Amino acid sequence: MNPNTGAGPDGEGTPVGRRLVLGMLGLGAGAMAATPWLQSGLETALGAVADKDPTGVTGLLPNGGGFRYYSVTSSVPHKDDSSYRLTVDGLVDKPAAYRLADLRALPQTRLVRDVQCVTGWRVPETPFEGVRLSTLLDAAGVSPRGKAVRFTCFDGAYSESLTLDQARRSDVLVALKLKDKPIGHSHGGPVRLYVAPMYFYKSAKWLSGITVTDEVRPGYWEERGYDVDAWVGRSNGRDDDPTA
Ligand SMILES: Nc1nc2c(c(=O)[nH]1)N[C@H]1C(S)=C(S)[C@@H](COP(=O)(O)O)O[C@H]1N2
Ligand SMILES: [Mo]
């Protein structure tokens, strides 16, 4: 089954229907385990979903790199060297605001892993590079009350979350590069989160805020039924699926 074919090319920017949201929320975790419609629900609800090219033509086939374009909003502002800021705040001793140049000046880590979207598509061995999230958390000095991290985005809508332990993993990056080039706008540039061991919805695009909190606050898709702990192959009902 190809869940992607449920998506319409004119779906871009369509808000998640009220009925769909209520339907997702009404499902228990057990029911969710074997619910292909939920996956195609995410694809269609995401709007656009299929990749989008600059001519405005949308298609259902993966683009050259195998990625698909996702945004829960119909337009996203562009940020560059002068306008981009990443704030780190919440339960920390030293809140900070990083410019791109500040982030580039920190030690960079390059990871080459498979990108895996929960709806089934995968992009093998994709290099991401950037600053370890743990580096920014250490610099901020997390208070003993800090137990989780909330991520916000300059699209004004998307959010994500990790426990503090997850956030401190060495394979979680504040990414500046994709395939050894600065991350382009459509892939969430200039800065996106990259949570290598989890499904790609955890990797928030257009990252603008990192807030240390006292508990996990479920992110955008998590409020709509997806797992907060989104380990690839061990979440969202994929536990028994060797192909997941
Ligand atoms: N800000 C933001 N981040 C996001 C999303 C989104 O809609 N908005 N979609 C998520 C999902 S479901 C996926 S699969 C990936 C898609 O990344 P891509 O558009 O670079 O392929 O981004 C994730 N991060
Ligand atoms: Mo996704």
Side-chain angles (χ1 to χ4, degrees):
M1 182 202 66
N2 179 358
N4 303 321
T5 51
D10 59 350
E12 188 187 351
T14 306
V16 178
R18 183 176 154 75
R19 234 216 234 134
L20 179 59
V21 172
L22 293 177
M24 287 179 176
L25 292 175
L27 277 176
M32 204 93 70
T35 315
W37 69 262
L38 178 61
Q39 291 155 31
S40 56
L42 184 142
E43 286 275 344
T44 45
L46 275 166
V49 295
D51 32 325
K52 186 178 138 203
D53 75 33
T55 64
V57 177
T58 56
L60 291 170
L61 293 173
N63 64 23
F67 283 89
R68 287 163 191 279
Y69 173 82
Y70 282 75
S71 176
V72 297
T73 61
S74 56
S75 73
V76 179
H78 289 244
K79 300 274 184 185
D80 58 18
D81 278 75
S82 60
S83 57
Y84 181 77
R85 294 289 184 285
L86 174 62
T87 57
V88 181
D89 59 17
L91 300 173
V92 297
D93 300 333
K94 288 168 285 180
Y98 292 86
R99 295 168 180 262
L100 279 175
D102 302 326
L103 294 171
R104 289 190 198 110
L106 292 167
Q108 306 291 306
T109 298
R110 186 174 183 268
L111 298 174
V112 184
R113 303 285 155 81
D114 294 355
V115 161
Q116 177 75 61
C117 175
V118 72
T119 57
W121 56 274
R122 191 158 71 101
V123 188
E125 297 181 32
T126 305
F128 276 93
E129 189 176 318
V131 181
R132 283 194 177 133
L133 178 58
S134 64
T135 302
L136 301 184
L137 294 172
D138 288 347
V142 175
S143 123
R145 286 191 299 128
K147 294 287 181 279
V149 185
R150 173 172 167 81
F151 305 93
T152 47
C153 306
F154 62 81
D155 62 10
Y158 205 75
S159 59
E160 256 306 332
S161 64
L162 291 170
T163 66
L164 194 57
D165 285 347
Q166 293 166 356
R168 285 199 158 124
R169 287 174 60 109
S170 58
D171 52 2
V172 175
L173 304 181
V174 169
L176 304 170
K177 287 187 174 177
L178 165 60
K179 295 195 214 164
D180 302 310
K181 289 188 290 221
I183 300 178
H185 183 261
S186 66
H187 284 304
V191 178
R192 82 180 290 171
L193 187 66
Y194 177 55
V195 183
M198 295 194 181
Y199 287 110
F200 208 27
Y201 63 87
K202 298 298 289 190
S203 294
K205 297 161 58 160
W206 307 297
L207 183 66
S208 58
I210 296 172
T211 302
V212 176
T213 57
D214 59 355
E215 60 183 5
V216 168
R217 298 195 210 158
Y220 184 94
W221 282 116
E222 294 144 22
E223 291 198 302
R224 290 158 176 81
Y226 288 82
D227 285 356
V228 176
D229 293 325
W231 306 108
V232 171
R234 291 190 278 133
S235 64
N236 294 291
R238 299 301 182 94
D239 308 56
D240 303 323
D241 183 356
T243 65

